[in-house]
Amino acid sequence: MEQNQVVKGSLTTIIMKLLEDNGRMYGYEMTKAVKEITANKMNITEAALYPALHKLVADDILTTTTEMVDGRMRKYYTLTKKGKKETANKISALQEALDSVQLILNPKIANG
Amino acid sequence: MDKMKLSQEQLKELRYFIYKRGFREPEVMMEILDHFACKVEDKLSAKPGMSLEEAMKEAHNEFGYNGFYSIKASLDVFTRKRYKNVYWAQVKAVLKNIPVMLLLAALGYGIYTASVWAFVNKKTDWMFDENVVGISFWLIMLIAELYKLQRINKNLKKSYHIHIAKMAVVFAPYALWLFLPTRMTDSPKRILFSSLVIALIAVWYIIHYIASWKLLKTAQKDYEEFKSFHPNENPLA
């Protein structure tokens, strides 16, 4: 539960990073990828994922293509040109934030 | 482990399950269906003895307290936001287009001059006894809106995309129509002010009309793309 709160704050960066690595993905594939990469430690709920995806589309960070797969429509998400540029910024901002948290949690290591 | 794939009959069951919960627009149904179907397929693959009914219930529970609603709500909100962005991008494009702006400025000046002339010479309409230029423009706006409505044919009116696009510009200048200052006056200051307002509303309305057409075209394109995958209007089909 606590971890989910942390995930929520960095969800857009996670989505953008996944798309940077995989090219295009659909919603369910993203939730599965996060579970697999984190060995089930992190779970993205649909209630958080779809608002984030829809917002990124509205902000022109992601674009969608639709295909018929297994008898149903599947929406694939891809980074736009603007989205590709934004991804690097988002990742470095998240990395800096995580480093700062690390300094607070482990001050001894940080001080050498 | 081979992943189980749902048959068309089973997908029909899933559609009905979503439909029963109040998600009836085909566009919203399709937004939910693939994710829901993937979840159900994973459950049935993990537990081959599980019934479809049980798998659907379990998968639905995993969508959380609001169920499918969070997907529909965010689709509504952000489709509207995307359409608003299209609308305002078009407004900006018109404002940056110097030839169009010069034309609009000339038109605005013409309306202003004609309105001053109508106030000074007491040119009123036969029905409401108001400034004939202002009331004429009011009528032109009304006809333009009726034309737009008529162009959105019966099928498109039912479209989720068109509905959201219309909601996106609901603030449009309709309120301004009611306050179009067309009442006759002798005060020179009021004549100039009223004529200026009529000209500004007229110019703004034309910009709005161009942008709203572009928006409706975008929504229509979205709808047609959707229809190419889902030609049947029935969400359960």
Side-chain angles (χ1 to χ4, degrees):
Chain A
M1 181 69 188
E2 285 83 0
Q3 200 179 44
N4 275 347
Q5 291 299 322
V6 180
V7 175
K8 228 176 177 180
S10 46
L11 186 55
T12 53
T13 315
I14 292 171
I15 292 170
M16 287 159 81
K17 173 68 180 152
L18 283 173
L19 290 172
E20 190 185 56
D21 293 345
N22 296 289
R24 65 169 206 172
M25 293 177 95
Y26 55 96
Y28 187 70
E29 196 180 11
M30 290 181 202
T31 59
K32 276 198 90 174
V34 169
K35 266 188 195 172
E36 279 170 21
I37 294 167
T38 63
N40 280 328
K41 282 183 183 165
M42 217 180 243
N43 181 29
I44 300 181
T45 64
E46 290 74 16
L49 176 70
Y50 282 94
L53 285 173
H54 294 148
K55 185 179 185 314
L56 288 168
V57 172
D59 292 342
D60 197 29
I61 301 288
L62 302 184
T63 183
T64 61
T65 46
T66 310
E67 278 178 25
M68 210 66 182
V69 179
D70 300 328
R72 58 199 188 240
M73 276 174 72
R74 177 164 292 167
K75 212 185 240 185
Y76 286 96
Y77 296 86
T78 321
L79 285 168
T80 59
K81 222 175 175 181
K82 182 182 165 191
K84 282 177 188 164
K85 279 185 198 164
E86 288 266 322
T87 305
N89 298 337
K90 284 262 185 189
I91 292 171
S92 72
L94 180 61
Q95 193 61 58
E96 272 177 35
L98 291 174
D99 290 346
S100 305
V101 172
Q102 191 69 27
L103 288 176
I104 296 165
L105 296 179
N106 293 312
K108 281 179 192 167
I109 295 171
N111 292 332
Chain B
M1 180 182 64
D2 280 342
K3 198 182 168 190
M4 184 263 175
K5 297 280 172 211
L6 292 171
S7 67
Q8 282 305 313
E9 273 309 303
Q10 288 172 316
L11 280 174
K12 221 174 189 175
E13 293 276 322
L14 264 68
R15 285 195 193 96
Y16 187 61
F17 185 94
I18 298 168
Y19 186 86
K20 268 196 310 190
R21 278 153 185 81
F23 304 94
R24 294 178 181 183
E25 298 104 326
E27 291 88 340
V28 176
M29 167 85 74
M30 290 304 128
E31 189 75 16
I32 298 167
L33 182 66
D34 184 50
H35 196 106
F36 186 44
C38 286
K39 258 184 188 294
V40 170
E41 282 175 346
D42 273 2
K43 299 216 167 286
L44 293 173
S45 302
K47 290 184 194 167
M50 193 182 230
S51 72
L52 181 66
E53 190 70 25
E54 275 177 286
M56 285 194 295
K57 274 186 188 163
E58 266 193 29
H60 181 243
N61 287 340
E62 286 177 14
F63 274 77
Y65 179 73
N66 290 320
F68 303 131
Y69 181 73
S70 51
I71 296 182
K72 183 203 165 16
S74 87
L75 186 68
D76 287 356
V77 168
F78 291 109
T79 305
R80 197 177 311 146
K81 189 181 173 206
R82 185 163 69 84
Y83 285 160
K84 269 188 184 173
N85 290 345
V86 169
Y87 175 83
W88 286 109
Q90 190 60 29
V91 169
K92 276 184 202 162
V94 173
L95 293 177
K96 281 183 185 170
N97 189 325
I98 293 168
V100 172
M101 281 313 290
L102 286 174
L103 201 71
L104 286 176
L107 187 76
Y109 182 71
I111 292 171
Y112 171 80
T113 318
S115 172
V116 171
W117 170 82
F119 274 121
V120 171
N121 295 291
K122 303 265 182 279
K123 298 289 180 193
T124 59
D125 68 287
W126 57 272
M127 202 172 179
F128 304 107
D129 203 28
E130 304 221 0
N131 182 322
V132 73
V133 173
I135 215 78
S136 300
F137 193 74
W138 192 91
L139 268 175
I140 290 169
M141 289 196 284
L142 189 68
I143 292 165
E145 287 304 312
L146 289 174
Y147 174 73
K148 200 159 64 182
L149 276 180
Q150 181 260 325
R151 283 295 299 269
I152 304 169
N153 67 38
K154 209 179 167 189
N155 279 341
L156 282 179
K157 263 184 210 169
K158 282 191 273 176
S159 148
Y160 171 81
H161 294 105
I162 297 288
H163 171 69
I164 296 284
K166 283 199 284 187
M167 296 282 286
V169 287
V170 79
F171 58 89
Y174 306 121
L176 292 176
W177 293 12
L178 301 173
F179 301 106
L180 209 63
T182 53
R183 188 173 294 166
M184 273 297 151
T185 174
D186 288 324
S187 153
K189 267 189 188 170
R190 275 200 66 136
I191 288 174
L192 294 182
F193 176 75
S194 296
S195 298
L196 186 67
V197 172
I198 290 171
L200 286 175
I201 289 180
V203 169
W204 167 243
Y205 180 74
I206 293 166
I207 295 172
H208 157 76
Y209 201 74
I210 296 168
S212 62
W213 263 116
K214 171 79 181 171
L215 171 61
L216 284 176
K217 288 278 167 207
T218 305
Q220 192 175 342
K221 204 175 137 208
D222 287 345
Y223 176 67
E224 275 158 12
E225 192 197 339
F226 174 77
K227 287 282 282 182
S228 69
F229 289 102
H230 195 270
N232 202 320
E233 286 290 333
N234 181 359
L236 296 173

